[in-house]
Every structure is written in C-alpha cells, then in structure tokens.
Amino acid sequence: MKSVAPLLVCVHLCFSQVAGVAAADGLPGTKPLRLDGDLSERMRGGFDTFLDRELSASIKLREKQWNPVFSSPDAYEASITPNRERFRYYIGASDVRRRVNVLEMVETLEQPAMIAATDNFAVFTVRWPAFGNVYGEGLLLEPRANPVGSVVAIPDADQTPEMLVGLAPGVKPDSQFARRLAEQGFRVVVPVLIDRSDEFSGNPNVRMTNQTHREWVYRSAYQMGRHIIGYEVNKILAVVGWLSRQRGAAGNVGVAGYGEGGLLALYSAALEPKINAALVSGYFNSRQKVWEEPIYRNVFGLLHEFGDAEIAGMIVPRALIVEYSRAPEIAGPPPLREGRYESAAPGKLETPTLAAVHAEVARARSRFPNKGPIQHNISLVSGATTEPVQFGTKTALTAFIKAMGVKQPLQPAAEAPVDSRRNYDPRERKKRQLNQLIDHTMQLLTNSHHVRAKYWERAQAKSLEAWRQSTAPYRREMLDELIGNFPPATLPPNARTRKILDKPAWTGYEVVLDVYPDVICWGYLLVPKDIGADEQRPVVVCQHGLEGAPQSVIEEDPESRDFQIYSGFAAKLAERGFVTYAPHNFYKGGNEFRQLQRKANPLKKTLFGITTVQHRQLLKWLSGLPFVDPQRIGFYGLSYGGNTATRVPAVLNQYACVIDSGDFNEWVTKTVSVHYDYCFPPLGAYEVGEFNLGHTFNHSDMAGLIAPRPFMVERGHNDGVAPDEWVAAEYAKVRRLYVELGIPDKTEIEYFNGPHKIHGVGTFEFLHKHLNWPQP
C-alpha cells in the first residue's frame, strides 16, 4: 500500500479543507474542532514530542529499578543480580552457553593452524563452541613465555581479527591492540564479529537486501528474544569461561574492544564477574538517542533500566577504562545496488563530544559512595584536546595493563607478524559465521511452539470462568512485556468535532480527543440518522491498514483505490444502522512512523502500546455518548488494522466482538522465517519487531485472550499476506479453544475468492449476530 500513500494524504488534506469550510455543526455536547491541515502528521508529531519527554525522564526514572547495597562486594553483587539478569534478557543473551574445554585449532592438510609467529608470540586460527551449533571463531595469540594474563580483544564489526593483529591492512600499527597486548605477554583471543556489509544479507531464493549482516541477524533474532548483541556476547563469554579456568596468571581475564567491540566489551564485563578489567574504546555515551543508531543496536527496554552509566555500574568494583577515541562513523545502510531489495532501516554512528562522554562517566561514578568497601574504579582516557584520539593509545593500554595487575611498562611495538596463508580471503569465514546465527534463529523458530506451549501451561480451559481467571496474568504480561504499558491518559477526552459529511442514512463527524499533552486521538464518527430518542446503538470501530487514514474506510467511490481495498465498510455498516468510528493509527508516513517505534522500544514500549491507550480513551468517550450502548462495541480491522485487532482487544476487555481481516496467520513464522516470500525479515517494515513474541504470543494465543468474546477471521484466498494453509492452521487452534470452552458458535472464519481486502459478507452477519443488531 506504500504506493498509494501520497494519494491518501492528498485525499485527507482536500477532505479536511472542505470540512474546515463547512464545519459549523459539530456533534452535540462537544466543542468545535478547529484544527486544519494533516492531522495524521499532527498526531505523529505530538507522539514524537511525548517520546522525547519520556526519553529525557528515563534517566531519573531508572533509579526505581535499582536497589544497590554497598556494605560489601558480595552484598553488592547480590543486590544487582536481578538487574544483571534482566539486562541479559534484554540483549538477547538467553541461550545456554556450551562449556569450552579446549580451543579447537582450525587447520587443513595444506594449511596448519599456526599462521604466523614472532619472537614474542605465535598466531593460530581457532574456534570454540558457544551455544547450540554456533561457534566462535578467530585468532589465538599465544605468548612464547607463560602468559601474564588473558585478554579477549574485540575488533569493530568492520575490522577482521587479522587487522587487529597486524596480519592484514586496515588498522594503524599503533592501534593494533591485540598485537600490542600479546607483545606484553598476554594470551589474546580475537573473535570474528558479524560485519556491516550486505554481501550475504537475504535468501537468494527469496530476495537479497541492502541490510547489513548485523541487521539481517537482528531482524529474525529479535522476535525470538535474541539479538545480534546477545549472540556475540555469548561467544565472548564462552571463551572467557575457558580462559578463566586456566592455571596461574593465565586465568586472570580482561576484555578490550573498539567500536562495536567496545559495546561488546562493556556488555560482557557487565554480565560476567570473572572479567577483571575492561577497556572500552570508541563506545561510551548517553544512549538517549540510541534510536538514531543502526537498528542492530535497538534493545527493547534498554533505557527503561540501563544507560551506559548503569551498565558500567555492573562492572564496579572491577576496573573499567573508557578511551575517548574516534568511533566508527556510519552514515547509513549500504547503498542500494542492482539485484538488491531496499529494506534496510536508517541509522548512523557518530563520534560523541568529549563533554558528552565525560558526563556519562561522571554519572556512572556518581552512583557509588566516596568511601566504603564498594567504590567505582572507572577511568576516562582522552587526548590533550577535546578531539578524539586514535583508538588503542599508549595511555589506555597502560591503564588496562595496570588494571589487570601486571606491573610492567608498556613495551614498544615490535615488528608485525606475517601471515603464512597465501591470498587469504575471510569471506568464507564471514559467511559461515553469519549462516550459523541465522540457522540458530531458524531452529529457535522450529522449536518455538514447544516453548509457547510451556509458557501457556497456566491457562485453564476447564470452564469459562477458569479461562478468564487463568488468562488474566497473560493479558498483563502481553501489555507489560510485549506491546508496552503506557500510563493511563492524563487528560480528559475533551472531544472536539465538526460535521464533514451529510449522507441520506448517516452524518459524519471528524473527532479529536486528548490523551496526554501533545498526544491526540483522531478519527471519523458516523452516526445513523434514524436513532430514536433514548435509543442506544452498537458501535463498530473500523480500523484502516498500513498508510491508510480514517477516510480510507468510508470511501464510497467504486473506482477509488481505497474502496477497492476497504469496500467503504465503515459507511456500509453505518447504513445498516451501526454507529461506526474510524480511528487513525500511527502506521502512516513511512520512516517517520517507523522511527517512532525506534524511539519507543528503548523505553520498553511500542506503537501498539500507545494505540492501546488511545483506544481506552476513545472507548471512554464513545461509552459516554447517549446513543451508544457501551456493552456493544466491536472491532473490525484490515491488514495492520487486523494486527491491531489481535492486540488491542486482547488487553481491552470492553470490545465485545472482534474481526481480524487480511492479517491473521502464523505470525511468528511470518516475522521470523527467511525462507518464504511472505515473511518480513527481508522487507522494509522494520517496525514490526516485538521482542520475544515467538516464545510467548502467536496470533492464536492473542485470540485466546479475546475469548470467550466472539472472534472472527476474514480471509481472501489470494491475499499475499500469508498462504491459506498458515491461516487455516493457526485458526484451527482458536476453533479448538472455543469448542473446549463450549462456545463454538462464537468463532468463525470466512474464506472468499479475492485479494487483500474487506469482503464484508460473513463478517457483517457476524457483527449483526454478536452485537445484537437486526439485519436490514
């Protein structure tokens, strides 16, 4: 529907301008609506302003999530354990790590594992089991003498281990900190990271994309409660576990990283107390604008509890050295090229100011007392000016070596090693590492129905009352953990209306309601003209889809694109005597609305969360209208509106019956799989991600929260959203539940021979039946 967005905007602007001229009459009992222009844009802009305030407030509000005890190191560790475990969950590091008993040498008959050697150390190609069938890979720098300690040296995503060791060009000699540490006598492991190119992003049998490899992994993993960050942290922690079990000084482990490696060093040290020191370069800042960074850094709930300062606090009292260096600077995703589908999310990386980094370090330090057994051990290394330094400076490495307890000065750089491999190309290793993570996520998808079944064991279908009581916690969990629980509206509805249409059977009003300061609900209300005095009618809330608007669902011109999709169903239902209300939803405006999702996610919120608050407000207002029966309000949505139908009514019990059109299907597969044309990962709709949905709520589970209220699916055989088989299989679970509850007559599915559209036949009958309104 993207191609019709300009048309929809034009239709609405013209419609509003006409309405503005003839808006003398509003709905009785409401104030006049005098807003002009694009109210969709105004609604987005208001929510954007609201989110900016919420992001600013999050720093102070995080304190409520922490209860540190500073009486002793053990007491402090125990007190932050709940925060640490939530952090582990948020970053998707939830897989059970495999124990690394040995580092496996990677060699062939033609090429031994040792690929280089100097007077100080030898370089080996190695791998180690991390989790599932996923292996970490990289280089081991083994000192000639007994190690003075062990370090995992983590490059930026666009640096290979060879660059950090001096075996390949790309990193200046003074910044090759893996080699410099090996020259000091440390055993060093340098892991491979998933990079930011798009060479292998996509499925050649479906479509290839311009998403970076990191985004390609993120897209599917996020839905399964995993993350590219968590995957790589677990690779690092697996090898940290092996290093920490080595005898003597070799069991003294530190981590050092630059850029994306700096993020991983910070996060790994925060999770693993066995890491005694961390050097973080080119990554430390307030994360209040994390939504501007590439989407593979989008962590659901991060700023609800953690900024970089709070994460640093989980390393204390161990040492953290922050080096203010020039960060990797990324302007956006890879440019589109021939044979690629443009679907990458926008996102940039920039070097913060020294003042910003200093402020976040100061905030981290301020979280600890000046005296007592727990004091911060956080230092900031910067240059002589406010300009960033080149990463891996002598000052930073000296501080790190000291923090590792090694009492020796940093030695001058020796001659770089030489790779014995001829014309080595890391592409095959890169592809192998990428495919392992994609395959792991697909395996999670395969097993997810077992995990969801376990999750839903508390739900009891023995009786209607047992179902209501046992599913109440799931409703709260869906709101709190999946779609985001915004506070209730802080303003009264304060309805403003104007008459926009006067048809023979009904009158149309444009309506704006207040929710929060700057946040509004906007929609169209159609009121039948034959409502008698003191009569109360049923209402159908008619929800448009992607890039639609309230006008879309009332359009009656058979030649218009809107009518061909929506069939004017809100207007047709009004002609049948229903009051109808067409609310506007946020999914209009391309990347403008998608970036609202990016802003909401770090706050542990989503667009469906704010939509739920809007619907609470509009239900409150509709219920107060004298001609509305508050017990007979139904919901009917198409496409993204159908997706709204499985979420908002699942948590708002007032909706008396629900119809999902052109959307209901095996939603977990659709949002995770990389193997079908129908699925989202290679597409541009990067906002559809809902963290850990795959292990908690499929569409049938959401419908289960609507039960025992009537629920219906409308499905066109030629609808490209998903194949009939996915829809039928997922609906069969709903049908079985309603039969078990003894209410089989309260659920239906209607198939019709048509495309992605409102059919309006069986669904209209369903509304008449379950909202108790006679057929015309």
Side-chain angles (χ1 to χ4, degrees):
M1 292 175 61
K2 288 183 180 178
S3 61
V4 300
L7 173 62
L8 295 177
V9 171
C10 177
V11 168
H12 172 251
L13 287 174
C14 297
F15 199 70
S16 292
Q17 288 163 3
V18 172
V21 174
D25 299 324
L27 187 70
T30 65
K31 297 177 182 178
L33 175 60
R34 305 194 187 282
L35 294 177
D36 291 314
D38 187 345
L39 294 190
S40 174
E41 184 177 331
R42 181 184 288 265
M43 200 169 100
R44 286 196 309 273
F47 186 46
D48 190 40
T49 300
F50 172 83
L51 287 173
D52 285 339
R53 288 198 300 267
E54 293 293 293
L55 286 165
S56 296
S58 69
I59 297 175
K60 184 69 175 175
L61 292 174
R62 279 174 220 153
E63 295 176 7
K64 297 179 181 179
Q65 307 296 325
W66 295 83
N67 294 289
V69 176
F70 299 117
S71 58
S72 71
D74 288 345
Y76 179 67
E77 283 293 314
S79 70
I80 67 168
T81 295
N83 304 89
R84 183 173 280 150
E85 292 310 308
R86 286 193 293 270
F87 182 64
R88 190 188 311 276
Y89 173 76
Y90 288 161
I91 67 169
S94 299
D95 289 295
V96 177
R97 291 196 302 275
R98 295 171 62 185
R99 180 184 174 90
V100 180
N101 294 315
V102 294
L103 290 192
E104 302 174 14
M105 299 295 178
V106 179
E107 60 184 5
T108 66
L109 291 174
E110 292 79 18
Q111 177 60 57
M114 191 173 78
I115 60 171
T118 71
D119 292 341
N120 297 312
F121 62 88
V123 183
F124 300 87
T125 53
V126 295
R127 73 171 195 168
W128 59 94
F131 51 91
N133 293 320
V134 174
Y135 282 76
E137 287 194 57
L139 300 179
L140 168 67
L141 283 60
E142 185 68 14
R144 298 290 188 182
N146 289 334
V148 300
S150 297
V151 176
V152 182
I154 315 166
D156 178 55
D158 286 337
Q159 297 169 347
T160 64
E162 287 77 9
M163 293 178 187
L164 217 54
V165 176
L167 295 173
V171 174
K172 294 180 179 179
D174 287 346
S175 292
Q176 293 167 8
F177 60 88
R179 174 168 70 91
R180 298 297 306 280
L181 290 168
E183 290 170 348
Q184 309 311 305
F186 286 93
R187 172 181 285 158
V188 180
V189 176
V190 192
V192 173
L193 299 192
I194 302 301
D195 72 4
R196 301 186 187 95
S197 72
D198 66 354
E199 184 177 7
F200 306 113
S201 294
N203 182 338
N205 295 317
V206 180
R207 57 172 58 85
M208 300 299 289
T209 82
N210 72 324
Q211 297 172 30
T212 65
H213 293 146
R214 299 187 73 78
E215 180 175 353
W216 180 238
V217 173
Y218 161 89
R219 288 285 193 101
S220 296
Y222 188 85
Q223 294 292 96
M224 300 308 302
R226 303 298 191 270
H227 204 289
I228 179 63
I229 293 173
Y231 282 159
E232 293 190 325
V233 163
N234 268 344
K235 288 184 183 184
I236 292 163
L237 294 185
V239 77
V240 164
W242 176 76
L243 291 169
S244 69
R245 293 193 300 274
Q246 304 309 297
R247 294 179 180 177
N252 175 25
V253 184
V255 292
Y258 166 68
E260 220 64 39
L263 178 155
L264 295 169
L266 179 69
Y267 285 19
S268 297
L271 286 179
E272 181 50 80
K274 293 176 183 177
I275 295 172
N276 292 318
L279 169 58
V280 174
S281 184
Y283 181 88
F284 199 85
N285 192 14
S286 166
R287 293 295 146 199
Q288 298 307 105
K289 290 192 175 182
V290 67
W291 57 273
E292 291 184 342
E293 299 177 28
I295 197 169
Y296 51 77
R297 289 187 176 181
N298 180 53
V299 174
F300 187 68
L302 181 72
L303 299 182
H304 176 69
E305 190 165 350
F306 305 98
D308 282 2
E310 287 79 10
I311 298 168
M314 292 190 289
I315 299 174
V316 173
R318 295 165 289 136
L320 170 63
I321 298 98
V322 175
E323 182 180 47
Y324 178 59
S325 66
R326 187 171 303 283
E329 298 192 346
I330 308 295
L336 189 64
R337 53 197 170 93
E338 187 176 354
R340 298 282 165 153
Y341 181 80
E342 187 171 22
S343 63
K348 60 184 180 180
L349 295 178
E350 297 176 336
T351 302
T353 64
L354 177 58
V357 176
H358 190 278
E360 192 69 3
V361 169
R363 197 169 70 82
R365 291 169 173 167
S366 71
R367 294 169 53 79
F368 297 90
N370 294 323
K371 296 180 180 180
I374 301 295
Q375 298 180 44
H376 78 77
N377 191 2
I378 305 171
S379 56
L380 173 60
V381 174
S382 60
T385 70
T386 58
E387 291 299 306
V389 298
Q390 183 67 28
F391 67 91
T393 59
K394 178 180 179 181
T395 305
L397 291 178
T398 298
F400 179 67
I401 291 170
K402 182 179 179 181
M404 288 289 289
V406 177
K407 298 178 180 179
Q408 64 182 38
L410 182 69
Q411 302 299 309
E415 188 173 344
V418 177
D419 197 332
S420 65
R421 299 169 295 183
R422 293 183 179 181
N423 302 317
Y424 175 69
D425 185 350
R427 292 174 65 251
E428 187 59 37
R429 181 181 63 188
K430 174 170 66 176
K431 184 178 182 181
R432 181 169 60 245
Q433 286 278 283
L434 177 67
N435 286 344
Q436 283 180 9
L437 295 181
I438 294 296
D439 290 347
H440 179 76
T441 305
M442 295 305 105
Q443 188 61 50
L444 291 175
L445 170 61
T446 299
N447 296 335
S448 64
H449 67 285
H450 296 299
V451 180
R452 288 195 304 275
K454 182 73 174 176
Y455 175 71
W456 280 89
E457 281 182 347
R458 293 169 289 156
Q460 299 295 320
K462 298 175 182 177
S463 67
L464 291 178
E465 187 55 32
W467 184 255
R468 289 189 185 97
Q469 291 185 11
S470 64
T471 56
Y474 291 98
R475 191 169 287 108
R476 290 191 295 270
E477 289 166 21
M478 181 177 173
L479 188 59
D480 291 340
E481 303 299 329
L482 187 72
I483 67 175
N485 193 356
F486 282 88
T490 58
L491 297 175
N494 185 32
R496 285 91 75 202
T497 68
R498 60 185 164 212
K499 185 163 69 174
I500 53 174
L501 286 171
D502 192 352
K503 297 287 185 172
W506 49 266
T507 305
Y509 299 91
E510 189 168 26
V511 180
V512 169
L513 309 175
D514 289 331
V515 181
Y516 305 124
D518 299 309
V519 179
I520 60 171
C521 298
W522 164 54
Y524 292 169
L525 178 73
L526 308 187
V527 183
K529 291 184 175 179
D530 62 348
I531 299 178
D534 300 325
E535 183 186 4
Q536 290 186 319
R537 291 281 180 93
V539 180
V540 181
V541 173
C542 302
Q543 188 67 68
H544 64 78
L546 180 65
E547 297 294 346
Q551 167 67 14
S552 304
V553 301
I554 69 171
E555 177 59 62
E556 297 181 284
D557 179 3
E559 301 301 316
S560 70
R561 181 67 183 275
D562 275 346
F563 186 86
Q564 291 167 13
I565 296 169
Y566 296 102
S567 306
F569 77 108
K572 288 181 178 179
L573 287 168
E575 290 172 356
R576 288 170 168 257
F578 293 97
V579 176
T580 63
Y581 184 80
H584 187 56
N585 217 330
F586 282 104
Y587 34 73
K588 179 180 173 63
N591 279 340
E592 288 187 22
F593 89 78
R594 293 189 166 100
Q595 287 301 96
L596 293 178
Q597 183 83 314
R598 287 291 316 275
K599 275 191 172 183
N601 279 176
L603 296 169
K604 205 177 178 185
K605 303 290 191 293
T606 72
L607 290 178
F608 281 123
I610 187 61
T611 299
T612 300
V613 180
Q614 290 178 312
H615 277 256
R616 278 200 183 101
Q617 191 77 323
L618 71 88
L619 285 171
K620 177 181 179 181
W621 178 68
L622 287 171
S623 298
L625 295 176
F627 51 84
V628 166
D629 183 348
Q631 304 302 315
R632 291 188 292 163
I633 302 178
F635 191 106
Y636 186 177
L638 172 71
S639 194
Y640 270 46
N643 218 9
T644 308
T646 54
R647 285 160 177 77
V648 173
V651 297
L652 297 185
N653 282 319
Q654 189 175 349
Y655 279 114
C657 73
V658 180
I659 300 173
D660 182 340
S661 177
D663 180 77
F664 187 92
N665 71 96
E666 221 296 349
W667 187 252
V668 175
T669 297
K670 181 174 175 63
T671 55
V672 176
S673 179
V674 298
H675 297 306
Y676 302 96
D677 282 337
Y678 308 102
C679 298
F680 275 119
L683 303 181
Y686 59 83
E687 81 289 349
V688 300
E690 294 168 292
F691 188 68
N692 205 27
L693 172 135
H695 287 138
T696 52
F697 296 94
N698 210 337
H699 270 173
S700 61
D701 304 307
M702 297 177 190
L705 295 182
I706 293 170
R709 291 167 287 160
F711 175 77
M712 183 175 183
V713 172
E714 183 177 49
R715 163 70 189 177
H717 286 306
N718 301 320
D719 192 327
V721 165
D724 277 351
E725 292 79 1
W726 290 10
V727 179
E730 191 67 9
Y731 177 74
K733 302 171 190 176
V734 180
R735 178 70 184 177
R736 182 172 64 239
L737 172 64
Y738 275 70
V739 170
E740 290 176 356
L741 292 173
I743 50 172
D745 61 323
K746 287 192 175 183
T747 186
E748 296 179 26
I749 186 168
E750 182 189 36
Y751 295 95
F752 64 94
N753 190 25
H756 185 68
K757 62 170 291 184
I758 293 287
H759 185 50
V761 179
T763 51
F764 283 13
E765 295 174 359
F766 189 82
L767 290 169
H768 280 286
K769 175 181 178 181
H770 293 289
L771 292 181
N772 193 25
W773 182 247
Q775 294 267 9

